[in-house]
Amino acid sequence: MSIDFEIPPEAKAVRERVRQWVKDECIPAESRIKDKESYKEVLGELRAKARAQGLWLPFVPKEYGGMGLGPLANALVQMELGQSHLGALSMNSQGPDDATILTLLAHGTDYQKEKFLKPLLNGEKRVCYSMTEKASGADATGMRTSAVKDGNENYVLNGEKWFSSAASAADLALVMARTDPDAPRHQQFSTFIVELPNPGYRIKRDIPTMAVHGPLAEVMGGGHAEIEIKDLVVPAENLLGGEGRGFDMGQHRLAYGRLRHGMHNIAMAQRALDMATARVTDRETFGRKLSDRQAVQFMLAECATQLYISRLMLLHIAYKAEKGMDMRQENSIAKVYLAHMVHHVVDTAIQLHGALGYSLDTPLASWYTHIRSQRLVDGPDEVHRWTVGRNVIKAFQKEGTTAMAAGGDLL
């Protein structure tokens, strides 16, 4: 029996619609943005047009106003949106909002869906996720922010958060804190919905990073905030999913975030490769087109190979998600591989552009400094490789072979 790699016609159709949307609307709109006012105007126009065309919230069920796409079709869409920094924003599919929307859909109360989810779905508000702390880094179970119940009506939170992405642009925050230090390790934490601004949730600064900074970094969600949480009072009705569920919900939303990063990395890498190919076919040095040089052809071939592998990885993971199969091992493998892939492809594109690639006259240089973070966010390389390696060893000890353990069961 053969393995079917055919993409359903309806998924192909929506991919083509989104591909044209990004090409015809999002990429041209990038040059129109000069400041915060023009950004607000341009994004507003894009979003109105996207909604009118039914291109809104691709991963959200239709009854909540989304496109109702399954994992496979959504993966195809996200692999197009990442070609422009306005792509996901135009369809209200940007991170970290997307993962929080999924969390609220799955775990929110009726009250929470009405008050907090609805404005997120309508694109009226933004949300950030405050989990990471200096003291614990990638170990979420090491966080020290506490949440103490004050009677039956409120919780009082105290602690600090670090690298809360998009906090400066957010109207809401999901804050993870320890509610029961005596519970089993993964049941000590809970998640709270916090309305911003709030004096108990103080943004100390947006942390300077190696990424290219500009006046729009904060409003477009590129900032990473350091936050002081001091005597932050949160109503008990803002507890999301119940006490002790914070860690499990956090891992679930991070799993989607890793895949979304990977999907957008593929789109960015494809655009970088297209730009590099256009450059070498147009440029001459020493009397010959760059595209005629074997070394250049080899560089393009390596990028194309890595993109081919990357697409197969994500499509296989999407297939397993469609079937409700365990995909944790593949998710960790893909998270690491795709972060390195996009870094390599963009670096190659810069090299083939020469000094122009090093300048800010193309988006390549700003992409390069931004994507270095992909090997750190949502779990650094080392944590995911540790996870994958442990699973290989466990499978060998259990089954006596690692034939399938390196990548999980393929089907």
Side-chain angles (χ1 to χ4, degrees):
M1 182 177 179
S2 63
I3 298 175
D4 185 3
F5 285 96
E6 180 68 21
I7 295 173
E10 60 273 16
K12 284 184 178 180
V14 75
R15 176 178 63 183
E16 184 57 33
R17 287 180 63 202
V18 173
R19 178 177 292 165
Q20 287 300 125
W21 168 258
V22 174
K23 178 182 177 182
D24 297 341
E25 302 289 347
C26 298
I27 293 177
E30 293 172 359
S31 62
R32 295 175 52 201
I33 299 176
K34 308 299 181 184
D35 50 32
K36 291 183 180 180
E37 286 304 312
S38 59
Y39 163 74
K40 184 177 180 181
E41 179 183 350
V42 169
L43 182 60
E45 291 175 4
L46 282 174
R47 286 188 158 185
K49 191 176 293 187
R51 294 193 80 166
Q53 295 184 24
L55 299 175
W56 191 253
L57 293 166
F59 53 87
V60 171
K62 290 182 178 180
E63 58 264 34
Y64 285 94
M67 297 171 68
L69 301 184
L72 175 60
N74 182 55
L76 296 171
V77 164
Q78 299 300 331
M79 282 191 270
E80 300 298 331
L81 290 177
Q83 291 199 49
S84 170
H85 58 260
L86 291 172
L89 283 162
S90 71
M91 291 174 59
N92 198 19
S93 181
Q94 69 284 340
D97 307 67
D98 53 0
T100 297
I101 286 172
L102 290 172
T103 302
L104 283 166
L105 281 170
H107 302 284
T109 63
D110 290 342
Y111 163 77
Q112 291 168 352
K113 289 178 179 178
E114 178 65 27
K115 184 168 185 179
F116 304 120
L117 177 61
K118 184 178 286 187
L120 293 177
L121 296 175
N122 288 332
E124 299 163 358
K125 291 187 177 183
R126 296 289 310 273
V127 63
C128 69
Y129 183 55
S130 292
M131 178 186 73
T132 305
E133 299 180 6
K134 283 183 182 179
S136 54
D139 178 13
T141 62
M143 74 177 64
R144 299 175 182 175
T145 298
S146 64
V148 178
K149 200 162 189 181
D150 180 18
N152 293 320
E153 297 183 355
N154 299 307
Y155 288 83
V156 180
L157 279 60
N158 282 281
E160 56 85 25
K161 295 296 177 180
W162 170 256
F163 268 75
S164 289
S165 301
S168 296
D171 308 285
L172 301 168
L174 256 60
V175 181
M176 196 165 155
R178 180 180 270 115
T179 46
D180 186 357
D182 298 321
R185 184 181 176 204
H186 294 136
Q187 298 173 26
Q188 297 180 9
F189 309 95
S190 303
T191 300
F192 301 88
I193 306 170
V194 178
E195 297 181 78
L196 301 178
N198 190 307
Y201 183 97
R202 185 173 73 88
I203 298 176
K204 299 171 68 174
R205 59 171 179 153
D206 267 326
I207 303 159
T209 69
M210 66 183 286
V212 174
H213 288 269
L216 293 171
E218 295 178 11
V219 295
M220 295 185 71
H224 306 286
E226 180 177 3
I227 295 158
E228 178 186 59
I229 296 175
K230 187 173 183 180
D231 298 328
L232 172 61
V233 178
V234 182
E237 61 189 357
N238 288 18
L239 172 68
L240 180 60
E243 281 197 12
R245 298 288 309 283
F247 182 86
D248 287 344
M249 287 192 301
Q251 293 306 300
H252 183 268
R253 78 182 305 283
L254 286 173
Y256 179 78
R258 292 172 191 131
L259 289 176
R260 182 239 303 130
H261 281 310
M263 297 167 192
H264 289 180
N265 284 346
I266 286 176
M268 186 183 296
Q270 184 63 63
R271 186 176 171 192
L273 179 56
D274 291 344
M275 291 171 62
T277 306
R279 176 70 172 170
V280 301
T281 54
D282 179 64
R283 187 182 180 197
E284 289 187 8
T285 60
F286 306 104
R288 293 178 61 190
K289 288 283 185 81
L290 282 180
S291 56
D292 292 336
R293 302 183 186 278
Q294 189 180 56
V296 169
Q297 294 170 5
F298 282 3
M299 294 166 76
L300 297 177
E302 178 62 23
C303 292
T305 300
Q306 291 189 5
L307 269 165
Y308 174 63
I309 294 169
S310 299
R311 282 195 173 88
L312 284 180
M313 278 186 172
L314 274 178
L315 291 176
H316 176 235
I317 291 171
Y319 165 84
K320 296 195 80 170
E322 293 269 1
K323 300 294 185 180
M325 301 167 71
D326 188 352
M327 59 185 188
R328 289 173 293 179
Q329 178 80 334
E330 292 87 348
N331 199 344
S332 286
I333 292 171
K335 196 275 182 187
V336 174
Y337 185 86
L338 295 172
H340 284 261
M341 177 278 299
V342 70
H343 197 268
H344 171 78
V345 174
V346 172
D347 182 73
T348 300
I350 289 174
Q351 191 71 16
L352 291 174
H353 276 75
L356 176 62
Y358 189 67
S359 75
L360 293 180
D361 287 354
T362 78
L364 294 169
S366 60
W367 288 353
Y368 186 81
T369 56
H370 165 69
I371 58 182
R372 181 58 181 84
S373 68
Q374 297 299 312
R375 292 173 56 194
L376 296 168
V377 298
D378 296 339
D381 286 359
E382 295 77 15
V383 169
H384 288 285
R385 284 174 169 156
W386 176 38
T387 300
V388 171
R390 280 187 305 168
N391 289 338
V392 171
I393 292 169
K394 287 178 182 177
F396 179 79
Q397 291 172 337
K398 181 179 180 181
E399 306 292 342
T401 177
T402 56
M404 301 301 290
D409 290 336
L410 289 178
L411 297 172

